[in-house]
Amino acid sequence: MPKITFIGAGSTIFLRHLLGDALLMPSLSNAEIALMDIDEQRLAESELVARRVVETLKAGASVTATTSRREALDGADFVIVSVQIGGYKPCTVTDFEIPKKYGLRQTIADTLGIGGIMRGLRTVPFLWDLCADMEELCPDAVMLQYVNPMAINCWAIRERFPNIRTVGLCHSVPNTLFELTHDLDIPMADVRYRVAGINHVAFFLNFEQRVDGGWRDLYPELRRQYAEGLIPKENPVRPRCPNLVRYEMMNQLGYFLTESSEHFAEYCPWFIKEGREDLIESYGIPLDEYPTRCEEQIAEWQDHFARLKGGEAMEIESSNEYAAVIMNAMVTGDPATIYGNVTNDGAISNLPDDCIVEVPCMVDSNGIQPTGIGALPPQLAAMMKTNINVQELTVAALTEENREHIFHAAMFDPHTAAELDVRQIRAMTEEMLVAHRDWLPGWTQ
């Protein structure tokens, strides 16, 4: 039976979803589950939840919990990573509060911009240490990497540990499919689509509905209903976050984005602008959304865990995450298709070969095999390149231990450059490096 190791198992709600998905599959139901986290209290909570999942599904899986990463990794077949280095407090709070002093406002701050850069600087050294342990203890294991900033993390892993088998996983494609079919009130089973790009800036290149034995392009209907104010409907995934930014970008670029409006608003220079509160209001952009979301999730989890400890029954349904699909396909050899973040290597011909792209991948016992896409529409590739610049400079800073490249990454971030001058950017970045010193490698100081 496979050994599945969760690094960052204290992300208990996420663990519950992924473990439930896995144990619902006969090929994984008797797996050895190893939970690892440095927070003993959260690890204990996750162990309780994991055992309840096994009990509820009447699975044959075993569960162990440890604060030792090496113990958890030893002999692993799959390593699922979901960590937040520095935590919501203090590091994520810092990522919002210092930029705000300089007039730079953010929504999520985990992928691009100064928040994404700092999160990458905190996270990549941890991932490199993890990869070094994997090379020694489970060299054939597959790392299923769920940590943001996804592209920066995957790129840095490939640069330093090219032999580690890894894929970055995100739920933006299935979430967007759910939201689009919700807006058009059509069954998801009746549509087909193709998506490609980079993580959080990928686009639905095709979006079609089965009609009378053929296929109908749904883009004209999306444009018509948006023009008439019929969509977007209330967002069922993020009720506080309307999808107006994404529909506007569909009008301007011709294609629909996979990532949420609140994310994309801070990846570009067009929606969050000093003195333009009308933009914030008209597009419904939720500033400081991630800290708000964190506080709500903490409160919700505390309430939910108290009820579980009190004996409340656990309900388990399949989620839209890819981890269990990948593990099942690799264990059984039955092919499956997922969207994964992998090294480009020509999959998208008008993006750099060494960048990380999000494309359809076929998975079977041979591993994860990306699909060739060819050239993207040039306006989409141009949008992505503005983000790839920041990713590449952040990875260069890490691999070369070049402090100046941290400032360069911030300078070329589209949103940051639209709001601040170069001296403000340098001063802000310097202050961020000082504030995060306990979580960063020494060369950054």
Side-chain angles (χ1 to χ4, degrees):
M1 287 296 109
K3 179 177 179 179
I4 304 171
T5 295
F6 288 83
I7 301 295
S11 302
T12 311
I13 296 175
F14 194 58
L15 164 74
R16 171 180 166 172
H17 291 317
L18 296 190
L19 184 57
D21 290 346
L23 298 187
L24 283 167
M25 295 186 170
S27 65
L28 305 172
S29 62
N30 293 319
E32 178 185 351
I33 308 299
L35 311 179
M36 181 271 159
D37 202 285
I38 61 172
D39 186 320
E40 293 185 0
Q41 177 181 341
R42 295 185 66 175
L43 180 63
E45 292 176 359
S46 291
E47 182 181 9
L48 184 150
V49 168
R51 294 188 184 282
R52 288 286 300 276
V53 170
V54 172
E55 177 186 338
T56 300
L57 295 178
K58 297 180 171 56
S62 63
V63 176
T64 59
T66 178
T67 57
S68 167
R69 186 171 70 205
R70 290 178 62 82
E71 179 182 336
L73 289 173
D74 192 14
D77 297 289
F78 301 99
V79 179
I80 299 175
V81 188
S82 56
V83 299
Q84 186 177 3
I85 304 301
Y88 161 54
K89 292 180 179 179
C91 287
T92 297
V93 172
T94 300
D95 286 342
F96 277 85
E97 293 305 315
I98 290 178
K100 202 181 299 182
K101 289 169 47 180
Y102 290 83
L104 183 63
R105 297 175 293 176
Q106 301 170 99
T107 53
I108 306 295
D110 69 353
T111 297
L112 211 70
I114 193 64
I117 293 166
M118 289 296 151
R119 187 179 282 231
L121 294 174
R122 297 194 301 267
T123 306
V124 167
F126 167 82
L127 292 173
W128 281 343
D129 287 346
L130 175 62
C131 288
D133 283 347
M134 287 180 64
E135 281 193 331
E136 179 183 349
L137 299 166
C138 52
D140 296 324
V142 177
M143 179 194 290
L144 307 178
Q145 209 274 115
Y146 275 99
V147 185
N148 283 321
M150 179 68 67
I152 289 171
N153 293 341
C154 292
W155 196 333
I157 289 171
R158 191 277 320 282
E159 289 293 313
R160 188 66 61 85
F161 291 91
N163 294 326
I164 291 292
R165 304 164 72 195
T166 184
V167 62
L169 300 175
C170 179
H171 42 241
S172 59
V173 173
N175 278 359
T176 301
L177 177 64
F178 175 78
E179 292 170 280
L180 284 173
T181 53
H182 166 81
D183 280 355
L184 293 177
D185 194 24
I186 58 176
M188 282 192 289
D190 289 350
V191 301
R192 69 178 183 180
Y193 57 94
R194 198 179 205 201
V195 171
I198 62 173
N199 184 237
H200 289 186
V201 189
F203 292 84
F204 277 70
L205 304 178
N206 303 99
F207 185 49
E208 300 171 319
Q209 181 184 20
R210 189 191 312 273
V211 178
D212 298 327
W215 293 94
R216 174 174 73 110
D217 181 8
L218 286 169
Y219 268 115
E221 185 66 10
L222 283 172
R223 294 188 185 98
R224 180 188 72 80
Q225 291 202 31
Y226 179 54
E228 295 176 7
L230 301 175
I231 55 177
K233 298 175 182 176
E234 183 178 356
N235 190 331
V237 178
R238 292 166 291 269
R240 196 168 44 239
C241 306
N243 268 328
L244 291 165
V245 167
R246 287 203 279 180
Y247 275 101
E248 183 61 38
M249 293 309 299
M250 178 190 71
N251 270 1
Q252 301 299 333
L253 296 179
Y255 299 87
F256 201 86
L257 275 158
T258 58
E259 193 43 75
S260 64
S261 288
E262 66 270 21
H263 268 278
F264 185 77
E266 65 180 10
Y267 302 159
C268 66
W270 305 308
F271 295 99
I272 306 173
K273 302 180 78 66
E274 180 67 28
R276 292 297 309 276
E277 300 306 308
D278 59 310
L279 291 175
I280 305 295
E281 183 176 347
S282 62
Y283 287 105
I285 297 168
L287 296 171
D288 296 334
E289 169 63 15
Y290 189 60
T292 301
R293 197 176 293 176
C294 287
E295 293 288 353
E296 291 175 350
Q297 289 173 346
I298 291 168
E300 288 171 6
W301 167 245
Q302 289 173 343
D303 175 66
H304 182 63
F305 185 67
R307 287 186 278 111
L308 282 178
K309 286 183 68 176
E312 181 178 87
M314 178 179 284
E315 297 181 4
I316 299 171
E317 299 178 350
S318 295
S319 76
N320 61 9
E321 303 292 349
Y322 292 127
V325 175
I326 292 171
M327 293 187 289
N328 179 69
M330 294 190 69
V331 168
T332 65
D334 296 334
T337 299
I338 59 102
Y339 277 85
N341 289 272
V342 295
T343 303
N344 186 18
D345 282 339
I348 298 178
S349 59
N350 53 346
L351 292 181
D353 276 350
D354 56 351
C355 79
I356 301 299
V357 294
E358 189 166 81
V359 294
C361 299
M362 197 268 279
V363 188
D364 59 16
S365 55
N366 294 312
I368 297 163
Q369 303 141 63
T371 299
I373 298 297
L376 295 174
Q379 72 276 19
L380 304 188
M383 175 66 236
M384 295 170 201
K385 288 172 185 175
T386 67
N387 285 217
I388 291 170
N389 290 335
V390 181
Q391 298 164 6
E392 183 175 27
L393 284 162
T394 305
V395 172
L398 285 154
T399 55
E400 299 171 17
E401 298 189 358
N402 185 328
R403 196 171 185 270
E404 279 297 292
H405 284 334
I406 302 172
F407 299 104
H408 299 155
M411 284 171 57
F412 285 99
D413 174 66
H415 175 44
T416 303
E419 296 292 289
L420 306 181
D421 65 46
V422 290
R423 291 184 178 180
Q424 288 175 308
I425 293 170
R426 183 168 285 271
M428 175 188 66
T429 305
E430 191 70 59
E431 189 172 346
M432 294 281 277
L433 290 172
V434 171
H436 284 307
R437 63 161 64 94
D438 291 342
W439 304 97
L440 298 178
W443 59 265
T444 63
Q445 300 306 308

